[in-house]
Amino acid sequence: MNISKKTENGTVTFSPEGWLDTVSSPELGDMVDAVTEASSLVLDFDKVEYMSSAGLRQVIATHKKAKALDASFAVINVCPTVMSIFRMTSIDRKLDIRAKVD
């Protein structure tokens, strides 16, 4: 999996590509853990095709990191397949999860 990171005006955006699963989640986790300050953490799921339970745990861990930094948090550009996982687990009711707009 390729994960890009962009920092702009205090917002740190991570953009993973492909599958967010047991193989790729630790890499994203390491990148998120390395952030020492931010006003906002964003996961841009524009190129995420699938997310396993390990990926879901990493989303929650990233939200916790944002809280620890006193930063806002959002998951944006979520495809319908991944959005259904957020809805089944009701995470979309607790976190700022935004569907992809075509």
Side-chain angles (χ1 to χ4, degrees):
M1 167 174 267
N2 184 32
I3 304 169
S4 62
K5 174 187 169 190
K6 180 175 100 177
T7 303
E8 188 174 309
N9 298 325
T11 297
V12 181
T13 302
F14 297 95
S15 302
E17 297 179 20
W19 287 31
L20 189 56
D21 56 16
T22 56
V23 175
S24 58
S25 290
E27 181 183 351
L28 178 58
D30 290 343
M31 292 176 76
V32 170
D33 288 344
V35 175
T36 57
E37 65 179 326
S39 59
S40 181
L41 290 181
V42 176
L43 296 176
D44 186 344
F45 273 23
D46 186 49
K47 296 182 180 174
V48 174
E49 303 162 358
Y50 168 81
M51 181 178 65
S52 71
S53 59
L56 186 60
R57 282 191 300 276
Q58 186 54 55
V59 169
I60 294 167
T62 304
H63 174 255
K64 288 180 181 178
K65 174 70 173 193
K67 285 181 74 171
L69 295 172
D70 197 25
S72 64
F73 173 76
V75 183
I76 61 171
N77 296 320
V78 180
C79 73
T81 303
V82 175
M83 185 59 89
S84 68
I85 295 167
F86 286 126
R87 287 189 177 126
M88 280 190 299
T89 58
S90 297
I91 295 297
D92 65 316
R93 295 182 189 167
K94 300 186 185 299
L95 304 179
D96 184 2
I97 310 287
R98 303 177 202 167
K100 185 184 294 189
V101 178
D102 292 326

